Amino acid sequence: MNDLSKSLKGRDFLSLKDFTPEEIFYLLDLADELKAKLKKGEPHPILAGKTLGMIFTKRSTRTRVSFEVGMYQLGGYPLFLTHEDLQLGRGETIADTARVLSRYLNGIMIRTYSHQDVEELAAHATIPVINGLTDFLHPTQALADIMTVREWKGKLKGLNLTFIGDGNNVAHSLMYGGAKVGLNVTIACPSGYEPLPQVVEEARRIAAANGSQIAVTNDIREAAEGADVLYTDVWASMGQEGEAEKRRQAFKKFQINSELLKLAKPDAMVMHCLPAHRGEEITDEVMDGPQSAVFDEAENRLHAHKAIMAALM
Ligand code: CP
Ligand code: NVA
């Protein structure tokens, strides 16, 4: 075991902020390696005999299927646990759930609303806890996104990634992750929908140490100019359904369409964490066009999640 693989064993994966650039590059290299092995049909049962519990209080297609299939491909066993089926749904505490699940499992992946709940679960679990999305962060997504940018562009340092839309969980994780690997990240959002100031400040501090820049603007045209990557996400996230109409008004200009894409570099790639609301934050033409990386990005969730599980568990 080298020093990096030793430093990752047993750790939680709650935020990319908690990992050094070297650790993130180690995970990216491992994800590439596992992807190559899968494509060659080479078995890689790194987690034989191990189990992952997957707790969901929100819906999921990509995260659920990629973790479940990924665990199977690594030789382990995944358990899909909905919040309602667990005693958690009847009031058993997060701390007790963590203590009990730690006696059976080798890792937990959780998708829920409150980031504090995930931190509490991790604090009381003696096994790695992986954040599969909270209202605050979506770090497994950002790792797969960075993998996809490197795959398409052959590098990361100095590239300009512009996120068009809400300063949400995905934007926050792209800011932390981008800052760690030397991507310049610009968030272009309507006034009042900026990323949290605390994240902007921390990401700027991290970026300064890695030679990159973090910017926030309300001007999408300026933000799109010279972009190597144009990224977007839904205008209303899970849990914000009640604000959907208000947000539709506020975000109507914050769309990746062919006109906006023309402002970016000619070889710019387009990304979306999915699920997409086609015709809102992205047009069909762009999403199905030659510059769209969205389905490679979705595929890379599988490889990135396998790297996270293989390294931590
Ligand atoms: N991008 C993403 O996390 O997708 P799911 O909500 O389908 O898991
Ligand atoms: N921001 C979105 C991402 C979904 C993967 C949400 O939280 O609903």
Side-chain angles (χ1 to χ4, degrees), residues 189-207:
C189 51
S191 174
Y193 295 94
E194 284 84 3
L196 289 176
Q198 160 218 340
V199 178
V200 179
E201 198 184 299
E202 283 170 342
R204 282 202 173 128
R205 226 180 10 244
I206 299 166

Side-chain angles (χ1 to χ4, degrees), residues 53 170 214 239:
V170 171
I214 303 293

Side-chain angles (χ1 to χ4, degrees), residues 86-98 100:
L86 292 171
Q87 295 287 11
L88 200 55
R90 285 182 59 233
E92 185 166 18
T93 68
I94 292 173
D96 287 346
T97 303
V100 171

Side-chain angles (χ1 to χ4, degrees), residues 56 58-66 111 132-133 138 140-141 145 170 231 233 238 272-275 297-298 301 305:
F56 284 88
K58 284 178 175 172
R59 290 182 195 184
S60 170
T61 296
R62 281 141 289 267
T63 307
R64 182 207 166 156
V65 177
S66 58
R111 162 170 291 196
L133 181 147
H138 197 1
T140 64
Q141 177 73 52
D145 294 341
V170 171
Y231 196 120
D233 184 13
M238 289 181 276
H272 192 310
C273 57
L274 304 181
E297 181 184 2
R301 300 291 303 286
H305 298 168

Side-chain angles (χ1 to χ4, degrees), residues 9 30 33-34 37 43-50 70-76 306-307 309-311 313:
K9 251 334 141 220
L30 182 57
E33 200 185 300
L34 292 171
K37 277 200 199 321
H44 41 281
I46 302 167
L47 296 181
K50 298 207 170 164
M71 194 58 186
Y72 170 78
Q73 291 176 356
L74 290 168
K306 286 168 72 181
M309 292 190 283
M313 290 171 58

